[in-house]
Amino acid sequence: MTIDQLLATIDLLCTREFPTRHGGSDVGFGGPGFHVAELEVSVGLATGDGAERERTAEDFDAWKEALALRLDGRWGQGQRRGLLTVGVRIARGEEIPEPWATLSDLVDEVYLWQANGTNRWVALGVAERDATDEIRLLAAVTDRDPP
């Protein structure tokens, strides 16, 4: 996909109604108050060699940075937000709403913007933490404030 196609997917999620139930969608998954799109997904790296996995993760990070520059131009400088402490809060029993709970399991940090005129947050991150899973460039759109 091109950067413009990836931005079009994010734009779609900023205007699309949220699902009433948790489940899959044409671009990823969602539930009440959120969408998560898998913008890019690696193929065969869940069991592949480490060097190729590392190169692919770097490529996905480059895609994330390129998208972030374009989104910065639309909505202002995105915040970098670490999600590791969200996992700690969950482990201590705190209730964290979706998609933040799931994102904290998948990514270490996200870029974060509030999309003008939509009352929605847009988060962008790379899921590469689990070496037994594919690498994914994720975009989340939600009406729930970040934790």
Side-chain angles (χ1 to χ4, degrees):
M1 292 188 107
T2 68
I3 293 292
D4 287 335
Q5 290 169 318
L6 299 177
L7 288 169
T9 299
I10 292 169
D11 290 341
L12 173 69
L13 297 181
C14 285
T15 59
R16 182 183 274 182
E17 292 294 320
F18 294 120
T20 57
R21 297 182 191 159
H22 292 274
S25 74
D26 59 327
V27 294
F29 59 94
F34 75 96
H35 300 289
V36 177
E38 296 178 330
L39 299 175
E40 291 288 335
V41 180
S42 67
V43 177
L45 292 181
T47 58
D49 86 14
E52 184 176 347
R53 184 175 179 82
E54 187 173 327
R55 282 190 301 276
T56 300
E58 289 171 359
D59 289 345
F60 278 41
D61 280 331
W63 279 94
K64 178 184 77 171
E65 295 298 327
L67 280 168
L69 284 173
R70 296 281 294 274
L71 293 173
D72 284 348
R74 290 181 178 186
W75 300 321
Q77 182 72 40
Q79 304 171 35
R80 282 185 109 143
R81 180 80 58 101
L83 295 180
L84 294 174
T85 58
V86 175
V88 172
R89 291 166 58 187
I90 291 168
R92 291 182 178 162
E94 186 174 341
E95 186 73 24
I96 302 293
E98 292 296 347
W100 306 112
T102 296
L103 288 174
S104 74
D105 283 340
L106 299 173
V107 302
D108 293 334
E109 75 172 17
V110 294
Y111 280 116
L112 185 63
W113 300 266
Q114 195 158 27
N116 295 342
T118 68
N119 290 328
R120 293 183 180 195
W121 291 94
V122 176
L124 190 62
V126 176
E128 61 176 303
R129 190 181 299 157
D130 184 351
T132 64
D133 198 1
E134 297 296 335
I135 299 170
R136 292 170 284 160
L137 175 60
L138 301 175
V141 175
T142 183
D143 60 3
R144 297 168 181 172
D145 289 341

